[in-house]
Amino acid sequence: MSGQKLTVKQKKFADEYIKTGNATESYKKAGYKVDKMTDNALWKEASNTLRNPRVKAYIDSAMKKIEDSKIMGAKEALEQLSKIARGEPFLKMIKLNEDDEPQPDFVIPKPADMLNALKEILKRYPLSAVDKAQIKKVQAEAIRAEAEAHVAKAQAEQLHTVADKTREKMDKLSTEELRNLAKLAGEDDD
């Protein structure tokens, strides 16, 4: 497989995907015939192209070069996305203070920005089957835990209702009836 080369369209697709992280748009820009395709079919074909072992190997190799090289655009963008994803403050702009001296203006990313940055990074590194399985497992465990919490809450509410009704009925009993009840339960008043 290492001796096989990408087709022209596959290479254009991969290069565009590395820039944008958007498989559907990359598929269109690569020159594939998409005029008569539904959005779902287009997404499916773009996803299949992205999973093609030769295309994936090319993208992985290019991403490695980006990581290793000093290319300003892509590498810096990935570094900035990583900083945002980690919640690190980043330089928004440089302002001038009263003395006309430069003063940096740092911004702390919001949680929504951090999540979006993570999504953008992960678009460029497709997840393996093991990663996807682990994510599904964690999601299932979260759903199960939430369901168990709901059941426990319902049981607690039911227990409180029974206790309240019992207390109401016991309040209506006379002292003599309470003594008889205590004797039945095995508690003597002596």
Side-chain angles (χ1 to χ4, degrees):
M1 194 180 307
S2 61
Q4 297 176 348
K5 292 187 177 184
L6 296 178
T7 66
V8 173
K9 288 180 182 177
Q10 287 173 331
K11 185 172 182 325
K12 284 182 182 178
F13 169 86
D15 289 338
E16 192 62 34
Y17 182 80
I18 291 165
K19 286 187 229 172
T20 67
N22 185 321
T24 305
E25 288 302 314
S26 299
Y27 191 82
K28 289 177 186 177
K29 288 183 180 181
Y32 290 100
K33 294 183 181 180
V34 297
D35 298 341
K36 296 180 183 177
M37 293 178 107
T38 65
D39 287 344
N40 192 36
L42 177 60
W43 177 83
K44 196 172 192 176
E45 287 300 317
S47 295
N48 287 339
T49 304
L50 186 59
R51 285 193 297 269
N52 176 302
R54 290 183 310 219
V55 173
K56 184 172 179 356
Y58 177 86
I59 290 171
D60 290 346
S61 173
M63 292 301 289
K64 179 75 173 136
K65 287 177 186 173
I66 289 171
E67 290 172 9
D68 294 342
S69 71
K70 300 289 184 195
I71 298 174
M72 179 100 169
K75 185 174 187 219
E76 186 173 350
L78 288 173
E79 287 174 355
Q80 274 298 92
L81 283 172
S82 296
K83 286 180 182 180
I84 293 169
R86 289 184 193 110
E88 297 174 9
F90 62 94
L91 184 63
K92 180 179 176 183
M93 67 175 70
I94 296 181
K95 299 178 185 178
L96 296 178
N97 62 17
E98 307 88 44
D99 301 327
D100 287 334
E101 295 173 354
Q103 181 178 357
D105 184 16
F106 287 96
V107 176
I108 297 174
K110 297 176 186 156
D113 297 331
M114 294 166 68
L115 181 61
N116 287 333
L118 284 170
K119 286 178 183 177
E120 286 299 318
I121 291 168
L122 289 176
K123 279 183 188 178
R124 288 153 178 85
Y125 298 97
L127 296 175
S128 70
V130 173
D131 293 333
K132 289 178 184 176
Q134 287 175 337
I135 289 169
K136 283 184 180 181
K137 180 182 175 190
V138 169
Q139 288 172 334
E141 289 171 353
I143 290 168
R144 180 178 174 203
E146 188 175 330
E148 288 173 351
H150 284 298
V151 168
K153 182 179 178 185
Q155 288 173 338
E157 288 173 357
Q158 188 177 19
L159 184 62
H160 285 294
T161 302
V162 169
D164 289 343
K165 286 182 181 179
T166 303
R167 198 174 302 112
E168 286 173 12
K169 292 196 185 234
M170 288 186 74
D171 287 344
K172 293 178 183 175
L173 295 176
S174 68
T175 306
E176 187 61 34
E177 290 171 321
L178 287 172
R179 281 189 185 128
N180 288 336
L181 187 61
K183 285 179 184 176
L184 286 175
E187 295 180 19
D188 289 334
D189 198 26
D190 299 330

